């Protein structure tokens, strides 16, 4: 990371020295373990890492509020039954991503165009399985989700012999039941290639996460401020990055949508570059990482060694 120049104000309002940099790896660790992973349950560490990186990437914007990347991954939170926590994750994201005005239901194409182009919003769509059906209205929404994945994506409007092209590039996360993907056949195959997919699983009993408190809302507001500050320090580095893919099979659109998350992880440093690539392999190529608890296994071995 390159030291920032000029006056920088921390979320607490104090002026930081120009050479001071926010420790990105520690910041992402706090957001991962003290916020997203504390108040929600994810199906795997890789899923939690991916959602954390997705939240961070939404802050990487230029002076006009546009993401600095060539592409932005769609985040998909799916489940086979209600109550699996996908809506909860959207609510948590709502308080930490920039320019988010709530959870949207049954959007229109015109509404999405305005939200992405004029408001520069981070769009969170809940109950999204309802909109993935038949009809021109829903097809218009899908067109925005498809085209707006890339910086060059626009919607072409024409009226009275005049035309205009409106950019629709911007970050979108959706939550819905698995029927959204399973019951639409091949029609939406191209769109699903734009998604980082998280399969949420319902938890009960002692595994259920704690409920949020008023204190948590204040804490996440401060965390959001730190994310904004860190993003302002590393956005040029992230924009110019060409991150190394974890596998030679990562190419085409898969590479496009994972590159922003890997670039953010590389800028953060620490363990994030390796964890991001492990998440990429697991979620994009269905190659689970090593789930063994080697520390526990070694302790068991050490306790029994020499006892025979």
């Amino acid at each position: 990371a390159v030291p920032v120049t000029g006056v920088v104000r921390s979320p607490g309002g104090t002026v930081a020295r120009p050479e001071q940099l926010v420790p990105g790896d520690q910041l992402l660790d706090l957001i991962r373990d003290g916020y997203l992973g504390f108040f929600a349950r994810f199906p795997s560490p890789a899923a939690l890492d991916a959602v954390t990186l997705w939240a961070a990437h939404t802050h990487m914007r230029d002076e006009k509020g546009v993401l600095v990347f060539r592409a932005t991954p769609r985040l998909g939170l799916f489940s086979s039954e209600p109550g699996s926590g996908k809506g909860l994750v959207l609510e948590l994201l709502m308080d930490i991503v920039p320019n988010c005005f709530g959870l949207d239901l049954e959007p229109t194409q015109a509404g999405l165009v305005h939200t992405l182009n004029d408001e520069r919003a981070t769009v969170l769509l809940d109950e999204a399985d309802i909109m993935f059906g038949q009809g021109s209205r829903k097809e218009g929404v899908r067109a925005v989700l498809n085209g707006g994945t890339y910086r060059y994506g626009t919607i072409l409007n024409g009226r009275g012999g005049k035309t205009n092209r409106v950019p629709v590039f911007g970050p979108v996360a959706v939550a819905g039941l698995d029927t959204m993907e399973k019951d639409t056949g091949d029609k939406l195959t191209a769109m699903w290639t734009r998604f980082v997919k998280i399969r949420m699983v319902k938890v009960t009993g002692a595994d259920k996460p704690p409920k949020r408190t008023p204190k948590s809302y204040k804490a996440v507001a401060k965390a959001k401020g730190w994310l904004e500050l860190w993003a302002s320090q590393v956005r040029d580095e992230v924009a110019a990055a060409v991150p190394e893919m974890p596998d030679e099979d990562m190419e085409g659109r898969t590479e496009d949508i994972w590159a922003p998350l890997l670039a953010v992880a590389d800028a953060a440093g620490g363990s994030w570059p390796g964890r991001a690539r492990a998440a990429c392999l697991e979620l994009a190529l269905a190659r689970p990482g090593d789930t063994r608890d080697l520390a526990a296994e070694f302790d068991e071995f050490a306790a029994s060694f020499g006892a025979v």
Side-chain angles (χ1 to χ4, degrees), residues 71-303:
T72 174
R74 291 349 191 170
L75 177 65
L77 301 161
F78 303 147
S79 71
S80 59
E81 59 180 331
S84 299
K86 53 191 181 298
L88 172 61
V89 174
L90 285 189
E91 291 180 22
L92 294 173
L93 289 172
M94 180 176 65
D95 290 332
I96 204 164
V97 298
N99 300 352
C100 186
F101 306 103
L103 303 186
D104 296 314
L105 301 169
E106 290 280 349
T108 64
Q109 183 188 65
L112 277 180
V113 170
H114 170 79
T115 301
L116 290 167
N117 181 62
D118 298 323
E119 296 179 331
R120 304 292 193 217
T122 301
V123 178
L124 306 179
L125 302 178
D126 200 7
E127 306 294 344
D129 47 293
I130 298 174
M131 74 179 186
F132 286 81
Q134 302 298 319
S136 59
R137 175 184 173 184
K138 296 177 180 181
E139 289 175 358
V141 169
R142 293 196 290 266
V144 173
L145 295 182
N146 272 332
T149 303
Y150 288 92
R151 174 172 289 276
Y152 52 72
T154 62
I155 292 294
L156 179 62
N157 295 316
R159 178 178 296 179
K162 297 181 179 180
T163 61
N164 70 307
R165 290 177 174 83
V166 183
V168 289
F169 177 58
V172 179
V174 306
L177 297 175
D178 282 340
T179 53
M180 181 167 59
E181 182 177 8
K182 295 177 180 177
D183 294 350
T184 49
D186 297 333
K187 184 177 181 180
L188 303 182
T189 298
M191 190 179 71
W192 297 129
T193 63
R194 292 159 164 81
F195 274 74
V196 172
K197 301 174 185 177
I198 308 296
R199 305 284 180 186
M200 301 296 291
V201 179
K202 192 171 185 177
V203 296
T204 59
D207 291 333
K208 294 183 68 174
K211 295 185 181 298
R212 297 184 66 182
T213 63
K215 184 178 179 181
S216 74
Y217 290 96
K218 294 181 180 179
V220 74
K222 292 181 179 180
K224 181 178 178 180
W226 282 107
L227 264 180
E228 291 171 352
L229 177 55
W230 178 60
S232 72
Q233 294 178 341
V234 301
R235 66 183 181 188
D236 291 340
E237 171 191 344
V238 168
V242 183
E244 181 180 353
M245 293 293 119
D247 190 276
E248 62 183 11
D249 291 337
M250 296 285 299
E251 57 185 6
R253 185 160 292 146
T254 304
E255 180 178 0
D256 289 343
I257 67 169
W258 275 92
L261 304 188
L262 298 181
V264 170
D266 289 344
S271 63
W272 280 97
R275 283 158 53 184
R277 284 162 176 81
C280 181
L281 288 174
E282 178 174 326
L283 298 175
L285 300 182
R287 297 179 186 172
D290 188 355
T291 59
R292 297 168 59 193
D293 187 342
L294 288 181
E297 288 186 26
F298 185 82
D299 287 344
E300 182 180 358
F301 156 73

